[in-house]
Amino acid sequence: MAYQTIIVEIEDYVALIRLNRPEALNALNSQLMRELGEALTEADRNEKVRCIVLTGSEKAFAAGADIKEMSTKNFVDVYTENLFGDEIERITATRKPIIAAVSGYTLGGGCELAMACDFIICADNAKFGQPEINLGVMAGIGGTQRLTRFVGKSKSMEMHLTGRFMDAVEAERAGLVSRIVPASKLLPEVMAVARKIAEKSQIAVVAAKEAVNRAYETTLSEGLLFERRNFQALFATEDQKEGMAAFLEKREPQFRDK
Ligand code: CO8
């Protein structure tokens, strides 16, 4: 499919989706969010995709929702359109793992988009923030909830109320990102992680992703039960037999997603 605001490449079972509005530091407008949703739906369906990487440019993952596009809207517009509401849910509904490879400005809706992915690996030049307060508004696609779960109330509250940015080191220390890599190595590193995930049994990958995400949605006892059922269910797969046999036979497993 031809997109104007994103670029999609598929290689080695990994779909690399690049946000591509360099003139606006990848600000998220309606077209970009719609195209991203379509690309994720395609990637989820495509048998040649086993992991997804979402990235921007070295200067900006995304500098927020498009302020120009939003500036003329009133309450009725954003309420009726449910601006970006469906699109952000499309990201969390994606069954295959999505890694956010984040470099430079990752602000407002851009930070919220990265946090809606399954995990974030960032470059050493990354800057995270929820500066909507400076525009007389606030986060609207998950920032107050997801950032708080990632970094705790104090830091999240301070960031939402002051609009200050967090650098990569602070983000890693606070648990927002899984790790930091040099900006020039970001994409090769993240693609290597994605290829590693793509080699696993995809049944186990989806089951594990579902279970980790449950930790954000439910009580501990329900989450533990969900985990146990997924664990038990994996014993109905050929990949479990293959994975354990390969270990005992000291060879690499050949997973077939069965
Ligand atoms: N929207 C639209 N255009 C943008 C945005 C944006 N968020 N960010 C940058 N741009 C544009 C600039 O206007 C500029 O365009 P032009 O050259 O035509 O003037 C171009 O990108 C380059 O930007 P700068 O010249 O400002 O670059 P600097 O390196 O000087 O500064 C900054 C970089 C610090 C990132 C600066 O651009 C900035 O502060 N951007 C805005 C950051 C921001 O406030 N983000 C939050 C936006 S609101 C939001 O995300 C709401 C989320 C909730 C969504 C709910 C549903 C919609």
Side-chain angles (χ1 to χ4, degrees), residues 22-25 27 59 63-68 70 83-84 105 107-110 112 131-132 135 137-141 165:
E23 71 287 359
L25 299 183
K59 181 162 184 197
D66 191 309
I67 300 169
K68 202 169 175 189
M70 276 186 305
L83 197 61
F84 297 172
Y105 294 112
L107 306 175
E112 295 173 292
E132 293 94 333
L135 303 169
V137 290
M138 59 178 281
I141 45 173
F165 299 167

Side-chain angles (χ1 to χ4, degrees), residues 156-204:
S156 173
M157 188 70 89
E158 187 201 348
M159 290 185 66
H160 283 283
L161 298 190
T162 66
R164 85 161 170 92
F165 299 167
M166 196 193 278
D167 67 17
V169 171
E170 185 180 2
E172 188 189 34
R173 207 184 304 131
L176 178 58
V177 304
S178 69
R179 62 193 167 97
I180 307 172
V181 295
S184 60
K185 297 208 174 99
L186 178 68
L187 220 44
E189 288 278 339
V190 177
M191 291 301 281
V193 173
R195 280 195 294 272
K196 194 173 278 184
I197 294 170
E199 286 168 9
K200 315 290 181 202
S201 163
Q202 293 308 291
I203 315 171

